[in-house]
């Protein structure tokens, strides 16, 4: 095979930079329960569902809460988060995303979203990408958080391709693990140390094009851009 049949994109941190908005909202919840929380710790929440993220914050402080109480925190976190993201526009799409999508389409390569976020439809609409992807699998359709590969396996299945024919683009440790557990190639987007389990790591989507995908599939040596 020379090229993958499809690319499955994570949303938060790959298509749009919602990471600071998630951080602001989680920080407010962490402050409320009295748990120290910083951007480094926030790294562990990337790709992780809302409920599991709140459970993680509570576990940092050794705090026990009922599922109902955890749900109440996640609802409040989401109110803060949605308030921030609702002002997003196409200008908030990360560099290289639109150009790369155009190249994929021109080469007949399928495109899908594979995100844990239940806010995926809202975000895609705000940034004007709601009619662009052939398949969207998001937090409303999955039961298992990344690093479980469910979200990407569903994406591949709905695209009509085998996992090994799909490349995942991910900015989260948990997402890279999910892609690899699903038998897919994975391009990490971000820090090569954090994303060391990816097949290759790039700083942003301006670094990827069709030749890059060819090299990834022919196992040529890829430079870490
Ligand atoms: C993405 C983000 C996580 C977030 C999760 C659920 O995977 O990286 O930080 O917790 O989606 O997002 P939601 O919008 O449903 O709260
Ligand atoms: Mg992400």
């Amino acid at each position: 095979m020379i090229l993958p049949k499809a690319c499955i994109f994570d949303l938060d941190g790959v298509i749009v930079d919602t990471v600071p908005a998630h951080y602001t909202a989680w920080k407010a919840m962490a402050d409320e329960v009295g748990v120290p929380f910083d951007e480094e710790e926030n790294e562990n929440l990337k790709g992780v569902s809302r409920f599991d993220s709140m459970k993680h914050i509570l576990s940092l402080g050794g705090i026990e809460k009922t599922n109902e109480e955890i749900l109440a925190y996640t609802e409040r976190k989401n109110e803060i988060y949605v308030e921030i993201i609702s002002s997003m526009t196409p200008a908030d799409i990360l560099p290289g995303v639109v150009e790369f999508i155009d190249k994929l389409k021109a080469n007949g390569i399928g495109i899908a979203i594979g995100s844990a976020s239940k806010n995926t439809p809202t975000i895609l609409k705000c940034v004007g990408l709601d009619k662009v992807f052939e398949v969207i699998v998001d937090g409303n359709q999955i039961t298992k958080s990344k690093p479980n590969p469910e979200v990407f396996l569903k994406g591949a299945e709905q695209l009509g391709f085998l996992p090994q024919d799909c490349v995942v683009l991910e900015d989260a440790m948990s997402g890279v693990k999910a892609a690899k557990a699903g038998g897919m190639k994975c391009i990490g987007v971000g820090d090569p140390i954090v994303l060391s389990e990816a097949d290759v790591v790039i700083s942003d989507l301006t670094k990827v094009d069709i030749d890059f995908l060819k090299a990834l599939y022919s196992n040529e040596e890829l430079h870490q851009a």
Side-chain angles (χ1 to χ4, degrees), residues 10-14 19 46-47 146 170-172:
D10 172 51
L11 176 68
D12 295 279
V14 171
V19 174
K46 284 187 183 173
K146 297 170 187 177
E170 253 296 345
D171 72 316

Side-chain angles (χ1 to χ4, degrees), residues 65-164:
K65 296 276 181 195
T66 64
N67 282 354
E68 288 71 28
E69 286 169 322
I70 296 172
L71 265 178
Y73 282 117
T74 61
E75 277 162 19
R76 292 226 311 289
K77 179 269 175 178
N78 196 51
E79 280 168 20
I80 300 170
Y81 177 68
V82 169
E83 171 77 31
I84 305 172
I85 59 160
S86 58
S87 58
M88 289 185 111
T89 71
D92 292 297
I93 298 172
L94 285 165
V97 171
V98 171
E99 294 80 358
F100 184 48
I101 286 174
D102 286 346
K103 284 175 194 159
L104 294 173
K105 286 192 159 181
N107 283 271
I109 298 173
I111 50 171
I113 289 281
S115 167
S117 174
K118 292 184 175 170
N119 291 303
T120 296
T122 309
I123 295 170
L124 289 177
K125 205 164 180 21
C126 281
V127 300
L129 292 178
D130 51 321
K131 298 202 169 61
V132 169
F133 295 90
E134 291 155 49
V135 164
I136 296 173
V137 182
D138 65 31
N140 301 295
Q141 296 139 53
I142 55 165
T143 54
K144 298 177 203 99
S145 241
K146 297 170 187 177
N148 188 289
E150 183 186 14
V151 69
F152 296 135
L153 292 176
K154 277 201 169 167
E157 193 188 329
Q158 289 183 26
L159 283 161
F161 299 131
L162 294 171
Q164 59 264 37

Side-chain angles (χ1 to χ4, degrees), residues 35-69:
V35 171
F37 186 73
D38 58 17
E39 283 171 345
E40 199 182 327
E41 190 54 59
N42 191 52
E43 198 63 46
N44 294 318
L45 301 187
K46 284 187 183 173
V48 178
S49 75
R50 221 178 283 171
F51 192 80
D52 288 347
S53 296
M54 190 63 214
K55 277 207 323 205
H56 180 83
I57 290 173
L58 291 167
S59 75
L60 293 174
I63 300 167
E64 300 224 349
K65 296 276 181 195
T66 64
N67 282 354
E68 288 71 28
E69 286 169 322

